[in-house]
């Protein structure tokens, strides 16, 4: 494995031997090299996961708790698989079956997990900021698996890794259009932080009611016209309407929404010929994305869907994050 300060491309600053953060609560504020370090670390796990024997026991003896206060399919499963492939003991806590239902506070739950001497805690919570609150209270690294509409950092990283695999290492000059419910999307936020930090041009597109008021501060180009946003896009990332975070009516109807903001094959033709289609899942087929786009293997001009690749990269990224953040616990160089 290449040591970060020996990186041939000179991407890591000299003397920075390791990822310097104890927890991964968001991608906002990370340096470009820190993001690239995690992407580079994930490459070995992409390779391993493609082998018949997918096991490396470097986290043997460590305990990882996945505490999920909100529903999840891909993120929970991939964190569980990631921990197990690295040999850790992984336990899952579902809030629906926990003492949270009996009125326990988040801090008390955090203190309980801490007392069990977990070596890493992975948390998903419906409130923005809840994961940072727990990270400040416990002794071990905490990984944010999605907090409210704030951030979903491993999703941002796995999306960047997917783009890198499809389009090459250079993010500068790349145009990524993210379309959908930007207002309520933690995936949008983490992707915006990640991709702008790596030098990509990010366009965001949403109906006015689903666009954050302070969007310009995130160094992106906002659009309400999806057709205009798509022009020249290398990557088109579609997002679900986050109904569970909406109070009141944000769109006239799903039909009207699809008409203006759904990704159809006709509309995809407005992007670059070889555009990459992405979606973090779960998809609402026929609303924000048509099935023939979501399942597009590769058309004559090279456009294709990377949605299953995103899931594959998710396991590798989560292995990298668990490995990197537990290095100090394992007596290796890590956060100070
Ligand atoms: N799975 C992603 C998340 O947890 C996206 C979504 O739910 O729409 O944020």
């Amino acid at each position: 494995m290449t040591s970060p300060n020996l990186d041939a491309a000179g991407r890591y600053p000299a003397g920075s031997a390791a990822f310097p953060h104890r927890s991964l609560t968001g991608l906002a504020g990370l340096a470009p090299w820190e993001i690239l370090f995690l992407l580079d670390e994930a490459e070995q796990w992409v390779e391993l996961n493609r082998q018949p024997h997918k096991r490396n026991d470097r986290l043997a003896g460590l305990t990882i708790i996945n505490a999920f206060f909100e529903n999840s399919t891909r993120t929970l499963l991939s964190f569980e698989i990631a921990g197990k492939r690295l040999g850790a003991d992984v336990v899952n806590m579902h809030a629906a079956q926990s003492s949270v239902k009996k009125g326990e506070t988040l801090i008390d739950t955090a203190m309980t997990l801490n007392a069990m001497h977990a070596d890493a805690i992975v948390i998903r919570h419906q409130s923005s900021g809840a994961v940072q609150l727990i990270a400040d209270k416990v002794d071990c690294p905490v990984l944010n698996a999605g907090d409210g509409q704030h951030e979903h950092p491993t999703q941002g990283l796995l999306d960047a890794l997917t783009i890198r695999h499809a389009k090459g290492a250079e993010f500068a000059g790349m145009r990524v259009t993210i379309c959908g419910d930007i207002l309520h999307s933690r995936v949008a936020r983490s992707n915006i932080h990640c991709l702008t930090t790596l030098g990509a041009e990010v366009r965001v597109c949403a109906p006015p009611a689903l666009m954050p008021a302070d969007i310009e501060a995130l160094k992106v180009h906002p659009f309400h016209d999806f057709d205009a946003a798509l022009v020249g896009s290398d990557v088109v990332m579609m997002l679900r309407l986050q109904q569970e975070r909406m109070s009141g009516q944000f769109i006239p109807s799903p039909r009207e929404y699809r008409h203006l903001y759904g990704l159809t094959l006709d509309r995809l033709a407005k992007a670059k010929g070889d555009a990459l289609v992405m979606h973090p899942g779960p998809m609402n087929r026929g609303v924000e994305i048509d099935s023939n786009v979501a399942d597009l293997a590769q058309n004559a001009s090279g456009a294709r869907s990377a949605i299953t690749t995103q899931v594959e990269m998710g396991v590798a990224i989560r292995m990298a994050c668990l490995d990197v953040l537990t290095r100090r616990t394992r007596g290796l160089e890590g956060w100070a």
Side-chain angles (χ1 to χ4, degrees), residues 70-71 74-75 124 145 152 155 186-187 240 242 244-245 279-282:
E70 222 188 33
N71 293 342
R74 279 153 289 269
T75 308
R124 167 166 289 192
H152 192 348
Q155 179 74 45
R186 55 199 178 201
V187 173
R240 179 178 68 91
Q242 309 262 306
E244 72 276 26
R245 299 189 213 291
H279 193 304

Side-chain angles (χ1 to χ4, degrees), residues 92-172:
N92 296 333
M93 190 206 89
H94 301 276
Q97 293 130 31
S98 74
S99 288
V100 172
K101 285 278 165 216
K102 299 180 187 169
E104 185 169 75
T105 67
L106 187 58
I107 301 292
D108 283 339
T109 304
M111 296 325 292
T112 302
L113 300 180
N114 199 43
M116 290 177 182
H117 297 292
D119 297 293
I121 302 177
V122 180
I123 302 171
R124 167 166 289 192
H125 199 280
Q126 59 279 9
S127 303
S128 305
V131 177
Q132 186 62 55
L133 196 73
I134 294 182
D136 292 340
K137 293 279 171 206
V138 301
D139 301 316
C140 67
V142 168
L143 292 93
N144 183 359
D147 64 326
Q149 51 198 63
H150 173 230
E151 279 229 40
H152 192 348
T154 55
Q155 179 74 45
L157 293 169
L158 76 88
D159 287 338
L161 190 62
T162 303
I163 295 172
R164 190 164 89 167
H165 272 239
K167 300 278 178 195
E170 203 47 71
F171 285 88

Side-chain angles (χ1 to χ4, degrees), residues 56 70 256 297 312:
N56 175 309
E70 222 188 33
E256 178 82 356
E312 182 193 12

Side-chain angles (χ1 to χ4, degrees), residues 55-76:
R55 187 76 184 222
N56 175 309
D57 277 332
R58 68 176 60 177
L59 301 196
L62 300 195
T63 302
I64 297 170
I65 299 179
N66 293 325
F68 277 60
F69 297 84
E70 222 188 33
N71 293 342
S72 173
T73 306
R74 279 153 289 269
T75 308
L76 176 58

